[in-house]
CSV table of all heavy atoms in Angstrom, one decimal:
chain,number,residue,atom,x,y,z
L,1,VAL,N,15.4,36.2,46.5
L,1,VAL,CA,14.6,37.4,46.3
L,1,VAL,C,15.5,38.6,46.5
L,1,VAL,O,16.6,38.4,47.1
L,1,VAL,CB,13.4,37.4,47.3
L,1,VAL,CG1,12.4,36.3,46.9
L,1,VAL,CG2,13.8,37.3,48.7
L,2,PHE,N,15.1,39.7,46.1
L,2,PHE,CA,15.9,40.9,46.1
L,2,PHE,C,15.3,41.9,47.0
L,2,PHE,O,14.2,42.5,46.8
L,2,PHE,CB,16.0,41.5,44.7
L,2,PHE,CG,17.0,42.6,44.5
L,2,PHE,CD1,18.4,42.3,44.6
L,2,PHE,CD2,16.6,43.9,44.2
L,2,PHE,CE1,19.3,43.3,44.5
L,2,PHE,CE2,17.6,44.9,44.1
L,2,PHE,CZ,18.9,44.6,44.2
L,3,ILE,N,16.0,42.2,48.2
L,3,ILE,CA,15.5,43.1,49.2
L,3,ILE,C,16.4,44.4,49.1
L,3,ILE,O,17.6,44.4,48.8
L,3,ILE,CB,15.6,42.5,50.6
L,3,ILE,CG1,17.0,42.2,51.0
L,3,ILE,CG2,14.7,41.2,50.6
L,3,ILE,CD1,17.1,41.9,52.5
L,4,PRO,N,15.7,45.5,49.4
L,4,PRO,CA,16.5,46.8,49.5
L,4,PRO,C,17.4,46.9,50.7
L,4,PRO,O,16.9,46.4,51.8
L,4,PRO,CB,15.4,47.9,49.5
L,4,PRO,CG,14.2,47.2,50.1
L,4,PRO,CD,14.3,45.7,49.7
L,5,THR,N,18.6,47.4,50.6
L,5,THR,CA,19.5,47.6,51.7
L,5,THR,C,19.8,49.1,52.0
L,5,THR,O,20.4,49.4,52.9
L,5,THR,CB,20.8,46.8,51.6
L,5,THR,OG1,21.4,47.2,50.3
L,5,THR,CG2,20.5,45.3,51.5
L,6,GLY,N,19.3,49.9,51.0
L,6,GLY,CA,19.6,51.3,51.1
L,6,GLY,C,19.0,52.0,49.9
L,6,GLY,O,18.4,51.3,49.1
L,7,GLU,N,19.2,53.3,49.7
L,7,GLU,CA,18.6,54.0,48.6
L,7,GLU,C,19.4,53.5,47.3
L,7,GLU,O,20.6,53.8,47.2
L,7,GLU,CB,18.8,55.5,48.8
L,7,GLU,CG,18.1,56.3,47.7
L,7,GLU,CD,18.1,57.8,47.9
L,7,GLU,OE1,18.3,58.2,49.1
L,7,GLU,OE2,17.8,58.5,47.0
L,8,GLY,N,18.7,52.8,46.5
L,8,GLY,CA,19.3,52.3,45.2
L,8,GLY,C,20.2,51.1,45.4
L,8,GLY,O,20.8,50.7,44.4
L,9,THR,N,20.2,50.5,46.6
L,9,THR,CA,21.1,49.3,46.8
L,9,THR,C,20.2,48.2,47.3
L,9,THR,O,19.3,48.4,48.1
L,9,THR,CB,22.2,49.6,47.7
L,9,THR,OG1,21.7,50.0,49.0
L,9,THR,CG2,23.1,50.7,47.2
L,10,GLY,N,20.7,47.0,47.0
L,10,GLY,CA,19.9,45.8,47.6
L,10,GLY,C,20.8,44.6,47.5
L,10,GLY,O,21.9,44.6,47.0
L,11,GLU,N,20.2,43.5,47.9
L,11,GLU,CA,20.9,42.2,47.9
L,11,GLU,C,20.0,41.0,47.7
L,11,GLU,O,18.8,41.1,48.0
L,11,GLU,CB,21.8,42.0,49.1
L,11,GLU,CG,20.9,41.8,50.4
L,11,GLU,CD,21.8,41.6,51.6
L,11,GLU,OE1,23.0,41.1,51.5
L,11,GLU,OE2,21.3,41.7,52.8
L,12,LEU,N,20.5,40.0,47.1
L,12,LEU,CA,19.7,38.7,46.9
L,12,LEU,C,19.8,37.9,48.2
L,12,LEU,O,20.9,37.7,48.8
L,12,LEU,CB,20.3,37.9,45.8
L,12,LEU,CG,20.0,38.5,44.4
L,12,LEU,CD1,20.9,37.8,43.3
L,12,LEU,CD2,18.5,38.4,44.0
L,13,VAL,N,18.6,37.4,48.7
L,13,VAL,CA,18.6,36.6,49.9
L,13,VAL,C,17.6,35.5,49.7
L,13,VAL,O,16.8,35.5,48.8
L,13,VAL,CB,18.2,37.5,51.1
L,13,VAL,CG1,19.2,38.6,51.4
L,13,VAL,CG2,16.8,38.1,50.9
L,14,GLN,N,17.7,34.5,50.6
L,14,GLN,CA,16.7,33.4,50.5
L,14,GLN,C,15.3,33.9,51.0
L,14,GLN,O,15.2,34.7,52.0
L,14,GLN,CB,17.2,32.2,51.4
L,14,GLN,CG,16.3,31.0,51.3
L,14,GLN,CD,17.0,29.8,52.0
L,14,GLN,OE1,18.2,29.7,52.0
L,14,GLN,NE2,16.2,28.9,52.5
L,15,PRO,N,14.3,33.4,50.4
L,15,PRO,CA,12.9,33.8,50.9
L,15,PRO,C,12.7,33.4,52.3
L,15,PRO,O,13.3,32.4,52.9
L,15,PRO,CB,12.0,33.0,49.9
L,15,PRO,CG,12.8,32.7,48.7
L,15,PRO,CD,14.2,32.5,49.2
L,16,GLY,N,11.8,34.1,53.0
L,16,GLY,CA,11.4,33.7,54.3
L,16,GLY,C,10.4,32.6,54.4
L,16,GLY,O,9.8,32.2,53.4
L,17,LEU,N,10.2,32.1,55.6
L,17,LEU,CA,9.2,31.0,55.8
L,17,LEU,C,7.8,31.6,55.7
L,17,LEU,O,7.5,32.5,56.4
L,17,LEU,CB,9.4,30.3,57.1
L,17,LEU,CG,8.4,29.2,57.5
L,17,LEU,CD1,8.6,28.0,56.6
L,17,LEU,CD2,8.5,28.8,59.0
L,18,PRO,N,7.0,31.1,54.8
L,18,PRO,CA,5.6,31.7,54.6
L,18,PRO,C,4.6,31.1,55.6
L,18,PRO,O,4.9,30.1,56.3
L,18,PRO,CB,5.2,31.3,53.2
L,18,PRO,CG,5.9,29.9,53.0
L,18,PRO,CD,7.2,30.0,53.8
L,19,ARG,N,3.5,31.8,55.7
L,19,ARG,CA,2.4,31.2,56.5
L,19,ARG,C,1.3,30.8,55.5
L,19,ARG,O,1.1,31.4,54.4
L,19,ARG,CB,1.8,32.2,57.5
L,19,ARG,CG,1.2,33.4,56.9
L,19,ARG,CD,0.5,34.2,58.0
L,19,ARG,NE,-0.2,35.4,57.4
L,19,ARG,CZ,-1.4,35.4,56.9
L,19,ARG,NH1,-2.1,34.3,56.8
L,19,ARG,NH2,-1.9,36.5,56.4
L,20,ALA,N,0.5,29.8,55.8
L,20,ALA,CA,-0.6,29.4,55.0
L,20,ALA,C,-1.8,30.3,55.0
L,20,ALA,O,-2.2,30.8,56.1
L,20,ALA,CB,-1.0,28.0,55.4
L,21,LEU,N,-2.3,30.6,53.9
L,21,LEU,CA,-3.5,31.5,53.8
L,21,LEU,C,-4.8,30.7,54.2
L,21,LEU,O,-4.9,29.5,54.0
L,21,LEU,CB,-3.7,31.9,52.3
L,21,LEU,CG,-2.7,32.9,51.8
L,21,LEU,CD1,-2.7,32.9,50.2
L,21,LEU,CD2,-3.0,34.3,52.2
L,22,SER,N,-5.7,31.5,54.9
L,22,SER,CA,-7.0,30.9,55.2
L,22,SER,C,-7.8,30.9,54.0
L,22,SER,O,-7.5,31.7,53.0
L,22,SER,CB,-7.6,31.7,56.3
L,22,SER,OG,-8.0,33.0,55.8
L,23,VAL,N,-8.9,30.2,54.0
L,23,VAL,CA,-9.9,30.2,52.8
L,23,VAL,C,-10.4,31.6,52.6
L,23,VAL,O,-10.5,32.1,51.5
L,23,VAL,CB,-11.0,29.2,53.0
L,23,VAL,CG1,-12.1,29.4,52.0
L,23,VAL,CG2,-10.4,27.8,53.0
L,24,GLU,N,-10.7,32.3,53.7
L,24,GLU,CA,-11.2,33.7,53.6
L,24,GLU,C,-10.2,34.6,52.9
L,24,GLU,O,-10.5,35.4,52.0
L,24,GLU,CB,-11.6,34.2,55.0
L,24,GLU,CG,-12.2,35.6,54.9
L,24,GLU,CD,-12.5,36.2,56.3
L,24,GLU,OE1,-12.2,35.5,57.3
L,24,GLU,OE2,-13.1,37.2,56.4
L,25,GLU,N,-8.9,34.4,53.3
L,25,GLU,CA,-7.9,35.3,52.6
L,25,GLU,C,-7.7,34.9,51.2
L,25,GLU,O,-7.4,35.8,50.3
L,25,GLU,CB,-6.6,35.0,53.4
L,25,GLU,CG,-6.5,35.7,54.8
L,25,GLU,CD,-5.2,35.4,55.5
L,25,GLU,OE1,-4.8,34.2,55.5
L,25,GLU,OE2,-4.6,36.3,56.0
L,26,ILE,N,-7.9,33.6,50.8
L,26,ILE,CA,-7.8,33.2,49.4
L,26,ILE,C,-8.8,34.0,48.6
L,26,ILE,O,-8.6,34.5,47.5
L,26,ILE,CB,-7.9,31.7,49.3
L,26,ILE,CG1,-6.6,31.0,49.9
L,26,ILE,CG2,-8.0,31.3,47.8
L,26,ILE,CD1,-6.8,29.5,50.0
L,27,LYS,N,-10.0,34.0,49.1
L,27,LYS,CA,-11.1,34.6,48.4
L,27,LYS,C,-10.9,36.1,48.2
L,27,LYS,O,-11.2,36.7,47.2
L,27,LYS,CB,-12.5,34.4,49.2
L,27,LYS,CG,-12.9,33.0,49.4
L,27,LYS,CD,-13.3,32.3,48.1
L,27,LYS,CE,-13.9,30.9,48.4
L,27,LYS,NZ,-14.2,30.2,47.2
L,28,GLU,N,-10.2,36.7,49.3
L,28,GLU,CA,-9.9,38.1,49.2
L,28,GLU,C,-8.9,38.4,48.1
L,28,GLU,O,-8.9,39.4,47.4
L,28,GLU,CB,-9.4,38.6,50.6
L,28,GLU,CG,-10.5,38.7,51.6
L,28,GLU,CD,-9.9,38.9,53.0
L,28,GLU,OE1,-8.7,38.9,53.2
L,28,GLU,OE2,-10.7,39.1,54.0
L,29,ILE,N,-7.9,37.5,48.0
L,29,ILE,CA,-6.8,37.7,47.0
L,29,ILE,C,-7.4,37.6,45.6
L,29,ILE,O,-7.0,38.3,44.7
L,29,ILE,CB,-5.6,36.7,47.2
L,29,ILE,CG1,-4.9,37.2,48.5
L,29,ILE,CG2,-4.7,36.7,46.0
L,29,ILE,CD1,-3.8,36.2,48.9
L,30,VAL,N,-8.4,36.6,45.4
L,30,VAL,CA,-9.0,36.5,44.1
L,30,VAL,C,-9.6,37.9,43.7
L,30,VAL,O,-9.5,38.3,42.6
L,30,VAL,CB,-10.1,35.4,44.2
L,30,VAL,CG1,-11.0,35.5,43.0
L,30,VAL,CG2,-9.5,34.0,44.3
L,31,GLN,N,-10.3,38.5,44.7
L,31,GLN,CA,-10.9,39.8,44.4
L,31,GLN,C,-9.9,40.9,44.2
L,31,GLN,O,-10.1,41.8,43.4
L,31,GLN,CB,-11.9,40.2,45.5
L,31,GLN,CG,-13.1,39.3,45.6
L,31,GLN,CD,-13.8,39.2,44.2
L,31,GLN,OE1,-14.1,40.2,43.5
L,31,GLN,NE2,-14.1,38.0,43.8
L,32,LEU,N,-8.7,40.8,44.8
L,32,LEU,CA,-7.6,41.7,44.5
L,32,LEU,C,-7.1,41.6,43.1
L,32,LEU,O,-6.7,42.7,42.5
L,32,LEU,CB,-6.5,41.5,45.5
L,32,LEU,CG,-6.7,41.9,47.0
L,32,LEU,CD1,-5.5,41.5,47.8
L,32,LEU,CD2,-6.9,43.4,47.1
L,33,TYR,N,-7.1,40.4,42.5
L,33,TYR,CA,-6.8,40.3,41.1
L,33,TYR,C,-7.8,41.0,40.2
L,33,TYR,O,-7.4,41.7,39.3
L,33,TYR,CB,-6.7,38.8,40.7
L,33,TYR,CG,-5.4,38.1,40.9
L,33,TYR,CD1,-5.1,37.4,42.1
L,33,TYR,CD2,-4.4,38.2,40.0
L,33,TYR,CE1,-3.9,36.8,42.3
L,33,TYR,CE2,-3.2,37.6,40.2
L,33,TYR,CZ,-2.9,36.9,41.3
L,33,TYR,OH,-1.7,36.2,41.5
L,34,ALA,N,-9.1,40.9,40.6
L,34,ALA,CA,-10.1,41.5,39.8
L,34,ALA,C,-10.0,43.1,39.9
L,34,ALA,O,-10.1,43.8,38.9
L,34,ALA,CB,-11.5,41.1,40.2
């Protein structure tokens, strides 16, 4: 993934460890798509 390191500069790094979404959060993201 590409993260910013300064104004107009960035670097490629490995993604971070994610957390699992709850069912309630999944439903919220569905509505964010809408």
Side-chain angles (χ1 to χ4, degrees):
V1 295
F2 190 67
I3 66 170
T5 56
E7 186 172 346
T9 62
E11 65 176 343
L12 290 167
V13 298
Q14 186 170 328
L17 178 68
R19 67 171 181 84
L21 289 159
S22 69
V23 169
E24 181 180 8
E25 288 176 312
I26 292 170
K27 303 288 188 185
E28 290 169 352
I29 290 176
V30 168
Q31 292 308 311
L32 289 175
Y33 272 96

